[in-house]
Amino acid sequence: MQQSSVPAAGQSSSVTWECDCLAHRFGNAADNALRQPRYPTDMTDAEWAVVRPLLPVPGWMRGRGGRPEAYCHRAVLDAIRYLVDNGIKRRAMPAGFPPWDRVYAFFRRWRDHGLVKEFHDRLRAQVRGKAGRDAEPTAGVIDSQSVKADAVVGADSRGFDGGKLVNGRKRHVVVDTLGLLLDVMVTAADTGDRTAAHVLLGQVADEHHRLELVWADGGYTGSLVEHCLAAFALVLAIVKRSDDMRGFVVLPKRWIVERFFAHLMRSRRLVRDFERRTTSAEAMVYWSMTLLMTRRLARPAPGRG
């Protein structure tokens, strides 16, 4: 997909409740009444002011066909945020949001065309810039998380993790040193960490050319260390737990990815894996992180003492 951003309307960055999304300005959304925010997951005006310029331009605005949306982009985004954060069934979408099938059609289109990852990556660059970091990271942390799978998950994408005693799926992630997601891959829970890391680290190295160092736990030892250095020019540093440690101990760098997993568990849709397709499960992780990042970007900068 062509990388392009929505042009800002006029010179002012202020946002009023008279919606200025593309579906209202150029589509058919004006035929439907505006939705008033009422849930904690709804974007504030400050968040919408950050989000709107980063949204990908729809294909129908670039001459690629398709019908202009009849529902407000802001309302659809709020609906997806509500679904991810509260863990509801798609068909249980509250009446104030657009119909559930239109919300799912938006979710599916963004999933299949990689738009959710594109949107997520633009937000991550903004968060890193606000924190005084370069848009592209030079170091990251890799780890995995096994979660139970719902009954809708087929046998072809589920397995049993003998170490965690979990029957379900496994999320393999790489995060930067701020705990922001770089890439995610969802597999059956019986997939080994090293096996998945061969693919995942290759994807991360292709997307982030400045990445030089990745920290990992003892499960990634072995030939993977030499493979990363030879194939991807990545230094895979193993942070091991000492044999004389007792109880809970915060390990250097590894606590960053553990904090990331703790954030995912606050999104109820991610406490289990309810998605039939692994691509949908990966998209849910990206959507969960967009909630975190829009709130960070809308938060006022701390004043100087």
Side-chain angles (χ1 to χ4, degrees), residues 85-155:
D85 196 60
N86 293 280
I88 65 168
K89 299 177 181 178
R90 296 187 190 275
R91 294 175 182 264
M93 189 68 64
F97 290 115
W100 75 267
D101 56 337
R102 293 300 87 206
V103 175
Y104 177 65
F106 186 96
F107 172 89
R108 182 181 59 220
R109 183 166 63 250
W110 276 44
R111 176 199 67 195
D112 294 343
H113 294 281
L115 300 182
V116 60
K117 187 177 189 307
E118 177 184 335
F119 175 50
H120 167 276
D121 291 350
R122 292 177 180 179
L123 284 173
R124 186 189 62 234
Q126 294 278 337
V127 174
R128 289 183 59 86
K130 185 176 181 180
R133 307 293 186 90
D134 292 334
E136 286 298 324
T138 57
V141 191
I142 186 172
D143 206 349
S144 65
Q145 178 192 45
S146 296
V147 292
K148 294 181 179 180
D150 190 66
V152 300
V153 177

Side-chain angles (χ1 to χ4, degrees), residues 258-286:
E258 298 299 338
R259 183 184 61 181
F260 169 83
F261 288 137
H263 166 74
L264 293 188
M265 291 297 98
R266 298 188 65 182
S267 298
R268 294 190 177 183
R269 186 81 182 195
L270 297 176
V271 172
R272 278 185 179 233
D273 197 321
F274 296 98
E275 314 307 320
R276 294 179 184 272
R277 301 175 55 175
T278 56
T279 52
S280 293
E282 293 166 359
M284 287 294 178
V285 175
Y286 285 121

